[in-house]
Amino acid sequence: MDTMMWVIIALCACFGGFLLYTRQFTWLLKVGRNMILGAAGILGANALLAGVGLAVGVNIITALIIGVLGIPGFMMLYLAQLLVG
């Protein structure tokens, strides 16, 4: 099990190194930037919507959804929370 974990880490490191030398690295930077801005946006929206009782948790999954989908992903998270929660 421990060896398999190190193999996966090594493969991820190789893939990350490959992305450094390709155009796709810029896409990865954009997703990272959107994740940070999305997490800040969720915190701000949660502060504004606290009185209504509508809040979305900030975690890696919600940040990744916003990082990939952008503003539509942000709206989707709050709509899903409204419908489910």
Side-chain angles (χ1 to χ4, degrees):
M1 181 70 174
D2 191 43
T3 305
M4 186 58 130
M5 182 183 69
W6 285 109
V7 168
I8 292 172
I9 290 172
L11 287 174
C12 288
C14 289
F15 182 69
F18 173 73
L19 288 177
L20 284 172
Y21 297 107
T22 62
R23 292 177 159 231
Q24 294 176 354
F25 185 68
T26 58
W27 180 81
L28 189 63
L29 286 176
K30 287 179 185 178
V31 169
R33 181 195 65 208
N34 287 346
M35 287 174 68
I36 293 169
L37 292 174
I42 287 175
L43 291 174
N46 283 346
L48 291 174
L49 297 172
V52 181
L54 186 63
V56 172
V58 179
N59 57 40
I60 191 69
I61 301 300
T62 57
L64 190 60
I65 288 171
I66 294 174
V68 173
L69 298 177
I71 293 174
F74 183 83
M75 295 185 329
M76 179 194 73
L77 288 172
Y78 277 97
L79 181 63
Q81 181 65 26
L82 183 67
L83 294 175
V84 175

